[in-house]
């Protein structure tokens, strides 16, 4: 008799989804014509230079087009709107973070207990938010898209999966949204720049919240 196939993950322990590394910002990128790919690279390089020189709030689609030497319509066709352009600038670092928590070494990646992975995820996400804070604030989607853009959905999937492993009797979908609120760039900006809190305090608060929710300690 042949061996039974391995059992599929139960709803309480859903499998991770490496395909979620695709953020949905550039689904057609592998199929871009060479000239379109060059235009996109020039636009992102121009946008990054403007952001570095003047800050994300001061960057317009028209200025990016002029700096890249292309027509304004090219920028809108490639990125849709200003938020899409800024999200594309954030794409690289977000993919690095996703690769780390989906496939990297523990405790951020697979192999550590779920509560430990939650602690590591929050600390890593907070550090990335602090590093790219101005750009993230400028790229913040409007209220109708905030919780449906691919990067947020990937994070929510990951956090809710770990919560189902750590506290299977909780409403993990809603609880994941609650946890992710603590990583919101607007809140991080308020706490650090208006309340004067150091980044380490935010990381410690994340760890404390995970410990209280999961009933564990670091």
């Amino acid at each position: 008799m042949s061996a039974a196939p391995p059992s599929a993950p139960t709803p309480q322990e859903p499998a991770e989804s490496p395909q979620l590394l695709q953020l949905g910002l550039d689904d057609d990128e592998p199929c871009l014509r060479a000239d379109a790919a060059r235009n996109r690279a020039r636009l992102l390089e121009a946008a990054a230079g403007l952001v570095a020189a003047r800050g994300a709030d001061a960057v317009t689609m028209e200025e990016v087009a002029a700096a890249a030497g292309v027509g304004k319509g090219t920028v809108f066709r490639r990125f849709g709107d200003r938020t899409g352009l800024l999200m594309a600038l954030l794409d690289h670092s977000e993919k690095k973070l996703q690769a780390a928590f989906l496939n990297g070494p523990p405790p951020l990646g697979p192999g550590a207990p779920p509560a430990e992975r939650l602690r590591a995820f929050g600390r890593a996400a907070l550090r990335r938010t602090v590093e790219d804070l101005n750009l993230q604030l400028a790229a913040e989607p409007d209220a109708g898209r905030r919780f449906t853009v691919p990067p947020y959905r990937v994070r929510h999937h990951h956090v809710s999966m770990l919560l189902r492993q750590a506290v299977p009797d909780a409403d993990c979908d809603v609880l994941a949204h609650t946890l992710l609120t603590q990583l919101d760039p607007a809140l991080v900006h308020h706490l650090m720049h208006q309340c004067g809190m150091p980044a380490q305090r935010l990381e410690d608060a994340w760890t404390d919240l995970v410990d209280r929710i999961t009933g564990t300690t670091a």
Side-chain angles (χ1 to χ4, degrees), residues 20 23 98 101-102 149-159:
L20 289 174
L23 296 187
Q98 289 181 15
F101 69 69
L102 289 174
V149 293
Y152 185 88
R153 288 190 289 111
V154 173
R155 291 184 178 207
H156 180 268
H157 171 91
H158 179 67
V159 171

Side-chain angles (χ1 to χ4, degrees), residues 23-44:
L23 296 187
L25 298 175
D26 301 300
D27 292 338
D28 60 338
E29 188 171 353
C31 302
L32 287 178
R33 300 188 318 274
D35 58 340
R38 284 193 296 270
N39 281 344
R40 183 180 186 280
R42 283 206 306 271
L43 287 167
L44 289 177

Side-chain angles (χ1 to χ4, degrees), residues 10 12 25 30 86 90-91 125 130 132 135 144 148 156 162 185:
T10 69
Q12 300 299 329
L25 298 175
L86 297 177
L90 290 169
D91 183 53
V130 171
D132 295 327
L135 186 55
T148 61
H156 180 268
L162 294 176

Side-chain angles (χ1 to χ4, degrees), residues 189-200:
H189 178 271
H190 169 69
L191 294 176
M192 292 186 65
H193 296 283
Q194 296 177 318
C195 300
M197 294 185 187
Q200 185 60 52

Side-chain angles (χ1 to χ4, degrees), residues 50-59 82 86-87 89-90 126-140 184-186 188-190 192-193:
L50 289 169
V51 168
R54 300 173 49 196
D57 290 339
V59 175
R82 183 173 177 277
L86 297 177
M87 288 291 288
L89 284 175
L90 290 169
L126 278 166
R127 288 168 192 160
R128 178 181 176 267
T129 296
V130 171
E131 289 172 1
D132 295 327
L133 186 55
N134 289 334
L135 186 55
Q136 289 204 35
L137 288 171
E140 187 79 1
D184 181 75
V188 172
H189 178 271
H190 169 69
M192 292 186 65
H193 296 283

Side-chain angles (χ1 to χ4, degrees), residues 35 37 43 52 55 72 98 130 164 172 202 205 217:
D35 58 340
L43 287 167
K72 182 174 68 173
Q98 289 181 15
V130 171
R164 286 188 181 95
C172 296
L202 304 188
T217 56

Side-chain angles (χ1 to χ4, degrees), residues 43-114:
L43 287 167
L44 289 177
E45 182 179 357
L50 289 169
V51 168
R54 300 173 49 196
D57 290 339
V59 175
T60 67
M61 301 287 268
E62 292 80 2
E63 289 173 321
V64 171
V70 302
K72 182 174 68 173
T74 300
V75 189
F76 282 97
R77 284 193 299 273
R78 183 62 244 162
F79 301 106
D81 56 19
R82 183 173 177 277
T83 296
L85 172 62
L86 297 177
M87 288 291 288
L89 284 175
L90 290 169
D91 183 53
H92 180 64
S93 59
E94 182 68 20
K95 282 183 176 176
K96 285 175 61 179
L97 175 62
Q98 289 181 15
F101 69 69
L102 289 174
N103 299 307
L108 183 55

